[in-house]
């Protein structure tokens, strides 16, 4: 069923890791669960030529983020992605490039329900007992679904036959007359918006689709209603978190990128060259960047520590006077070897603390050129390398709050924005 080889990706951050990567098997899930992701939409409401599920964020398409939200969970068995026939080759390329190992790509139908049924049928391999106990159906353009809520949906589906996410209505629903006048309004407190994900016992959703009419296939929009109408199964409704929102309009694309960046800049590792000044600067950065809600660890070195490279970290390397680029180069090579930047860019910030009164290597020598060459090579592997020159007079015995704050703000901005254009630049704090 897999479209790509099971390449080791243990070095990925936990929030985007391969199945199991940091997540223990969930107690209580003693049944099989698979997922159907309908992804055949054209994205007309975004006004873009590219369907929104294939729009890229940090060099990675949206559909890949949604897949990873499920694939990282040990209790999810298979994921069927249903796409338009003309997008099949593109989707298989995405699966291979980002090493999604639980995914099968199938072609969709002319309507959403025909596509979902194709996905449900694809989970039946014809082998006895091979179908999953529970099927979760989810929109390909809802990438931020959380494990706790998925677990609620799966457990409720196993117990009740069907389950679905709901959210409170934010606007009053009104009915209009044929002439365009207000006819009546609904009492908002009695109604909820139906959302995804939705869960079903396999035989319930399969039976519902088998009994669907052509009208259901062409005009139906609600899987839960089909389960009620054709399988007699009442769904358990569970209020979901705000993160279930769906990418619908062009403005939503900017929100997706912002959320992804916020997720990726939550932690960093500061390493220093063993000197007392770089160690003290690292501790000052740890304190200030902590006020930005970034968790910062300070270590004397990184090279050779595989566990450090696998952590959900960005990397800040401090050195005094000497170039320190050889250590940075070793870090970059280690990140490449660990395949750490497969799913998103990893940031490495080289901070050169300069205590000389004259012109420094970072200003006039080979430092900037070597940094740019190293950054250009690193960028090919999705690693973004930046340099910061932090000048301190030899007479200064400590670091002023203002100077450390400027350095921390610049470093945080580089980690948050992940601007590829600035990679290789020597900035000044």
């Amino acid at each position: 069923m897999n479209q790509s080889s099971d390449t080791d990706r243990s070095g990925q951050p936990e929030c985007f890791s391969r199945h199991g990567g940091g997540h223990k098997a969930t107690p209580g899930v003693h049944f099989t669960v698979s997922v159907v992701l309908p992804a055949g939409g054209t994205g007309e409401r975004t006004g873009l030529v590219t369907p929104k599920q294939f729009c890229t964020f940090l060099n990675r398409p949206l559909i890949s983020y949604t897949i990873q939200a499920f694939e990282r969970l040990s209790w999810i068995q298979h994921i069927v992605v249903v796409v338009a026939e003309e997008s099949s080759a593109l989707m298989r390329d995405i699966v291979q490039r980002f090493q999604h190992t639980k995914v099968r790509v199938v072609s969709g139908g002319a309507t959403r329900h025909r596509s979902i049924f194709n996905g449900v049928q694809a989970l039946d391999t014809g082998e006895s007992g091979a179908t999953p106990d529970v099927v979760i159906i989810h929109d390909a353009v809802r990438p931020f679904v959380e494990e706790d809520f998925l677990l609620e949906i799966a457990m409720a589906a196993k117990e009740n036959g069907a389950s679905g996410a709901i959210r409170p209505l934010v606007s009053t629903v009104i009915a209009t007359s044929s002439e365009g006048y207000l006819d009546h309004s609904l009492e908002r407190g009695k109604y909820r918006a139906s959302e995804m994900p939705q869960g079903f016992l396999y035989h319930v959703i399969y039976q519902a689709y088998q009994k669907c009419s052509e009208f259901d296939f062409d005009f139906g929009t609600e899987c839960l209603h089909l389960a009620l109408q054709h399988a007699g199964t009442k769904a358990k409704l569970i209020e979901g978190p705000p993160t279930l929102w769906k990418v619908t309009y062009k403005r939503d694309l900017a929100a997706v990128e912002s959320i992804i960046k916020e997720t990726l800049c939550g932690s960093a590792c500061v390493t220093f060259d063993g000197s007392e000044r770089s160690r003290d600067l690292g501790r000052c950065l740890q304190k200030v960047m902590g006020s930005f809600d970034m968790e910062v660890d300070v270590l004397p070195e990184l090279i050779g520590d595989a566990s450090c490279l696998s952590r959900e970290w960005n990397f800040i390397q401090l050195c005094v006077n000497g170039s320190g680029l050889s250590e940075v180069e070793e870090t970059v090579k280690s990140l490449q070897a660990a395949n750490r930047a497969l799913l998103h860019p990893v940031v490495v910030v080289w901070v050169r603390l300069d205590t000389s009164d004259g012109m420094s290597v970072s200003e006039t020598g080979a430092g900037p050129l070597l940094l740019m060459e190293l950054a250009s090579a690193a960028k090919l592997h999705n690693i973004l390398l930046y340099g910061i020159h932090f000048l301190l007079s030899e007479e200064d015995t400590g670091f002023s709050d203002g100077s450390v704050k400027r350095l921390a703000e610049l470093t945080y901005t580089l980690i948050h924005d992940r601007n590829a254009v600035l990679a290789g630049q020597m900035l000044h704090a």
Side-chain angles (χ1 to χ4, degrees), residues 91-110:
M91 189 64 237
R92 289 190 173 91
D93 177 70
I94 291 170
V95 169
Q96 183 175 15
R97 192 180 350 143
F98 297 102
Q99 300 177 15
H100 294 302
T101 60
K102 294 185 180 183
V103 174
R104 181 181 180 186
V105 179
V106 301
S107 296

Side-chain angles (χ1 to χ4, degrees), residues 134-135 152-163 199-201 236:
V134 169
V135 179
E152 283 191 72
I153 289 292
M155 299 295 285
K158 184 70 168 74
E159 182 177 350
N160 300 280
S163 62
F200 304 87
L201 289 174
K236 174 66 175 178

Side-chain angles (χ1 to χ4, degrees), residues 143-381:
F144 303 120
V145 61
E146 300 167 358
E147 178 177 9
D148 289 347
F149 188 70
L150 286 172
L151 183 59
E152 283 191 72
I153 289 292
M155 299 295 285
K158 184 70 168 74
E159 182 177 350
N160 300 280
S163 62
I166 57 172
R167 289 287 297 160
L169 292 174
V170 296
S171 300
T172 300
V173 179
I174 62 174
T176 60
S177 66
S178 57
E179 294 81 16
Y181 293 98
L182 174 66
D183 187 286
H184 66 278
S185 63
L186 300 180
E187 186 178 342
R188 188 170 62 186
K190 292 183 178 181
Y191 297 88
R192 295 292 183 269
S194 179
E195 305 284 356
M196 290 287 183
Q198 296 175 354
F200 304 87
L201 289 174
Y202 184 85
H203 70 84
V204 168
I205 191 63
Y206 188 84
Q207 176 185 337
Y209 274 118
Q210 277 192 317
K211 293 183 178 181
C212 274
S213 65
E214 291 299 312
F215 182 87
D216 290 329
F217 275 121
D218 290 339
F219 302 104
T221 58
E222 181 53 72
C223 298
L224 298 180
H225 178 73
L226 296 180
L228 177 61
Q229 181 179 0
H230 298 302
T233 301
K234 291 184 178 180
K236 174 66 175 178
L237 303 180
I238 306 171
E239 185 163 325
T243 52
L244 291 180
W245 59 277
K246 179 181 179 182
V247 177
T248 305
Y249 301 104
K250 190 174 182 179
R251 64 177 178 269
D252 296 331
L253 300 176
V256 169
E257 183 166 7
S258 177
I259 293 172
I260 292 171
K261 287 181 176 179
E262 287 294 329
T263 300
L264 296 178
C265 73
S267 59
C269 173
V270 175
T271 62
F272 56 93
D273 60 6
S275 69
E276 186 175 345
R277 277 199 162 179
S278 63
R279 180 200 62 197
D280 292 345
L281 179 58
R283 290 173 176 171
C284 290
L285 280 176
Q286 181 182 42
K287 180 179 180 180
V288 176
M289 297 183 79
S291 67
F292 304 157
D293 291 328
M294 175 181 279
E295 294 183 8
V296 178
D297 289 82
V298 181
L299 301 175
E301 62 180 9
L302 182 69
I303 299 171
D305 192 338
S307 64
C308 291
L309 295 173
S310 67
R311 293 283 298 276
E312 189 180 345
W313 272 342
N314 300 282
F315 300 91
I316 305 165
Q317 295 192 246
L318 309 178
C319 72
V320 177
N321 293 334
S323 80
L325 275 176
S326 59
E327 288 81 4
V328 173
E329 185 174 11
E330 287 298 320
T331 297
V332 170
K333 288 180 179 178
S334 298
L335 291 170
Q336 292 175 10
N339 210 12
R340 173 69 165 72
L342 174 67
L343 297 181
H344 59 79
V346 175
V347 173
V348 178
V349 182
W350 170 49
V351 178
R352 187 177 191 278
L353 174 59
D354 199 333
T355 60
S356 62
D357 290 329
M359 300 298 287
S360 68
V361 172
S362 62
E363 292 174 311
T364 62
L369 179 60
L370 292 175
L371 174 66
M372 188 168 295
E373 291 176 352
L374 180 56
S376 296
K379 195 188 299 186
L380 298 176
H381 298 275

Side-chain angles (χ1 to χ4, degrees), residues 388-391 403 406-408 410 427-429:
I388 299 179
H389 179 219
F390 187 59
L391 182 61
S403 63
R406 287 193 300 273
L407 175 60
L410 178 55
L427 308 175
H428 294 264

